[in-house]
Amino acid sequence: MMNAAIQTNIARLQIMKAKVLAALRKGENYELKTELNSEYKERRKEAVRRVIANMTVGKDVSGLFTDVLKNMHTDDLEIKKLIYLYLINYAKTQPDLVILAINTFVKDAEDSNPLIRALAIRTMGCLHVQEVLDYLCDPLRKCLKDSNPYVRKTAVMCVAKVYDLNAEVAEENGFIEGVRESLSDSNTMVVSNAVSALVEMNDMAPNQDIWKLDPGMVGKLLTAINECIEWGQIAILETLVEYVPRDEKEAENICERVLPRLQHANGSVVLTTVRLLLKYEKYVRRADLLSQFSKKMVPPLITLLSSEPEIQYVALRNINIILQRHPALLSKEIRVFFCRYNDPIYVKYEKLDVLVRICSERNVEPLLNELKEYAKEVDVDFVSRAVQAISRLAIRYESAAEKAIKVLQELLQTKINHIIQNVMVAFQEVLRRYPNRFDSVVEGLCEYIDEVDEPDARAALFWIVGEYSEHVANVSNILTSSLESFLEEKDECVQLALVSASVKFFLKSPQKGQSLVLKALQTATEKCANPDVRDRAYIYWRLLSADPNAARSVVLIDKPPIELDDADLSPQLLEELVNELGCVSSVLQKPAKLFVYKLAEKAGVPRDSDAAGMGLDEADSAVAGGSGGSASGIDATNDGEPELLISF
């Protein structure tokens, strides 16, 4: 009995094992296939959801194509949307099977529900399959004249997709003319989408002259813009940016009518309006109007800084570009750009750049006090940028130099290591800008010789010691002790600065510095492995041996004052970025043709990893040189595509 029971249990286990293995072999797709063909509506609905979920995470569910199609005949809008999404995703890989869904599409395009009509016509356009075009034309023609504005606006955008797939079909069936007629539609949503569709088709075939703005149409668009949703307003504004007014009066009228858009809550609408006003400056000649437009731009730009950090960052990047066109635009609003304690670090960086750019002699003192507080923050990189900003202000405004020196001295007294390093570099720049004006501070700087350990900071301090050795009481001891660790210095810039400082000290005090300079030159030429340091030392040695007076005229010559490098964009690049204000390019501060495939191809910019990082002038040079790839200068392969390049 016991043996029989054991054998029965073993048999059951084997059967269960076989069932489990069979289920595993069939996989999840088999289970979904069963569910999709279930007689229960809820199970089919849940199966469609799971199919879309799997498709979204990258699983291949194309084998369920016919089973999914069977569920298209439903009144459930959610299921219909999901199935249409599935069809769009797999239409290119299964073009023959898509034809099976055509009857449902055509039927849905005539449904009494406008949402279903719009969904059907939009999906047929998004399938992007040549075989569908023949069945799409009649429903699309009807939808362009539909009584519901939502269906009409969807049909208008579908025309652009048809044109992209087959321009001849779009022209022969009068779809393009239908879109042009939609510009006079009573519904502003349809008008704005018609504008977007025409612009898109113009970009596809720039030589076809599909649409060109005229004064009458400009008036209609300006009337429609007041009632459009935000994205419709952006589409119309971007179109007006490219419009060339007939005369100054028309340009003034356009600017005055778009001014209310500056008060919009959407930041993109505001920035696009600012772009239009900046673009139209060359058409408006009245100084009072230009001044009025500039004043109107200030409050909305300031308001953007009260938004979320991400919006603030985008706004600040765009403001940086605007300020290069109008440096004094925000000079009275400097306190708005002061950093808050809870600002993300990337926002603080941008605010610092803007603060230095808009600062004037009138408000430089309060800004220096503010920067002093920033330099005491815990973030090392932010402290470095704050100290650099102090030195930049001192270099730019002579009246602020003394105040800046006092601020830097106060920062030195904090005894915080990373602050000391940055302050030393700042002192070097200020002393370069104002030679022999702040000699009294040099002695105090030398007290920090043991705390200065960063290469740039040590090189800066040695430059100061050599340049102002007559104002340092123990200069011989400083240089002698530093030469003992000459070969242990981390960076060649420190060794070069130390050799130069020794030579300068010798030329200013020959008796005190003779043994020291000899030691420095011997160490550099005989023991140093760096060829640049050795060559510098040999040049000094031969120069001193041949003619000390000539050496004095070379080494101790008056240096030209250091000039502030604001890192302004080139005029050509600035003009391009102003024309793309509010776009990704204004944030990256690179023209769109350097990172958008279609624009890069149109502009002839080489599509390689170097093109993404090069500036506008370098890109143009590369085009002229005909670098790499195909005849048009575009690499036709997909190998080594840069991550920055974006394909639309």
Side-chain angles (χ1 to χ4, degrees), residues 409-481:
Q409 287 178 314
E410 291 176 19
L411 291 173
L412 273 180
Q413 293 170 6
T414 61
K415 304 289 186 179
I416 299 174
N417 185 268
H418 65 270
I419 294 179
I420 293 174
Q421 315 304 319
N422 290 290
V423 169
M424 282 300 169
V425 177
F427 263 116
Q428 180 198 22
E429 294 174 350
V430 176
L431 292 172
R432 277 282 309 272
R433 180 68 178 85
Y434 306 105
N436 304 318
R437 180 175 169 183
F438 300 106
D439 303 342
S440 58
V441 305
V442 174
E443 183 76 31
L445 297 179
C446 296
E447 297 175 3
Y448 296 90
I449 185 69
D450 295 330
E451 284 81 9
V452 178
D453 49 21
E454 291 293 329
D456 289 343
R458 287 183 66 79
L461 182 56
F462 287 139
W463 181 91
I464 294 171
V465 169
E467 199 70 23
Y468 295 91
S469 58
E470 65 273 20
H471 299 286
V472 183
N474 60 338
V475 60
S476 180
N477 295 335
I478 293 173
L479 293 176
T480 301
S481 61

Side-chain angles (χ1 to χ4, degrees), residues 41 50 116 129 146 178 286 330 356 367 393 455 503 564 610:
K41 181 179 178 181
R50 288 174 59 192
I116 293 179
V129 175
D146 198 277
R286 285 176 53 189
L330 299 168
V356 175
L367 179 55
L393 292 176
V503 173
L564 180 64
D610 294 330

Side-chain angles (χ1 to χ4, degrees), residues 78-131:
E78 180 187 351
I79 292 295
K80 199 173 283 289
K81 285 182 178 180
L82 293 175
I83 293 174
Y84 281 3
L85 183 63
Y86 177 89
L87 292 175
I88 292 171
N89 191 62
Y90 287 111
K92 289 186 178 180
T93 58
Q94 309 269 5
D96 296 334
L97 293 177
V98 171
I99 302 299
L100 300 176
I102 291 299
N103 288 336
T104 306
F105 281 130
V106 174
K107 181 181 177 182
D108 286 350
E110 297 178 353
D111 195 275
S112 58
N113 187 339
L115 291 177
I116 293 179
R117 295 202 300 273
L119 182 62
I121 206 70
R122 180 171 61 203
T123 306
M124 290 178 76
C126 290
L127 290 175
H128 222 69
V129 175
Q130 190 72 35
E131 291 82 352

Side-chain angles (χ1 to χ4, degrees), residues 67-81:
D67 300 289
V68 172
L69 282 182
K70 293 176 183 177
N71 291 274
M72 282 184 67
H73 304 282
T74 177
D75 296 329
D76 191 319
L77 191 58
E78 180 187 351
I79 292 295
K80 199 173 283 289
K81 285 182 178 180

Side-chain angles (χ1 to χ4, degrees), residues 129-330:
V129 175
Q130 190 72 35
E131 291 82 352
V132 176
L133 273 183
D134 296 336
Y135 304 93
L136 173 60
C137 293
D138 289 338
L140 179 56
R141 191 177 295 108
K142 293 178 182 177
C143 287
L144 283 170
K145 303 293 184 181
D146 198 277
S147 59
N148 188 282
Y150 181 75
V151 178
R152 296 201 301 274
K153 77 98 179 174
T154 306
V156 160
M157 295 306 297
C158 185
V159 171
K161 294 178 174 63
V162 171
Y163 188 86
D164 186 32
L165 186 60
N166 193 323
E168 291 183 3
V169 171
E171 291 174 1
E172 290 173 0
N173 286 273
F175 293 149
I176 298 175
E177 188 59 35
V179 176
R180 292 196 190 103
E181 293 174 0
S182 298
L183 291 170
S184 302
D185 197 282
S186 58
N187 188 282
T188 55
M189 179 173 60
V190 178
V191 174
S192 59
N193 278 270
V195 169
S196 296
L198 288 169
V199 170
E200 190 175 338
M201 288 187 284
N202 249 345
D203 291 339
M204 294 176 197
N207 299 324
Q208 296 294 324
D209 197 21
I210 291 173
W211 181 51
K212 190 173 182 180
L213 268 180
D214 56 63
M217 186 53 62
V218 168
K220 292 180 181 179
L221 295 181
L222 289 171
T223 302
I225 198 172
N226 297 320
E227 301 175 15
C228 288
I229 61 171
E230 51 200 16
W231 304 117
Q233 293 182 29
I234 293 169
I236 293 175
L237 286 169
E238 287 184 337
T239 304
L240 293 174
V241 167
E242 303 302 323
Y243 176 65
V244 179
R246 292 174 302 173
D247 50 36
E248 184 179 358
K249 186 176 181 180
E250 185 184 11
E252 293 174 2
N253 179 52
I254 293 173
C255 291
E256 289 173 351
R257 292 184 68 176
V258 300
L259 279 177
R261 300 304 102 215
L262 290 172
Q263 310 304 320
H264 202 281
N266 185 285
S268 187
V269 176
V270 172
L271 290 174
T272 309
T273 307
V274 172
R275 188 205 314 179
L276 185 145
L277 294 173
L278 292 176
K279 180 74 178 290
Y280 276 49
E281 283 179 347
K282 58 185 176 183
Y283 306 126
V284 179
R285 297 183 179 85
R286 285 176 53 189
D288 59 328
L289 266 182
L290 291 175
S291 176
Q292 178 188 342
F293 295 158
S294 297
K295 290 178 181 177
K296 293 276 188 180
M297 283 191 279
V298 173
L301 291 175
I302 298 301
T303 303
L304 290 176
L305 298 181
S306 303
S307 307
E308 297 81 2
E310 296 80 8
I311 302 297
Q312 288 185 51
Y313 177 76
V314 172
L316 288 165
R317 294 290 285 179
N318 282 274
I319 286 171
N320 199 307
I321 295 172
I322 295 168
L323 288 173
Q324 294 186 47
R325 174 72 77 85
H326 293 287
L329 183 66
L330 299 168

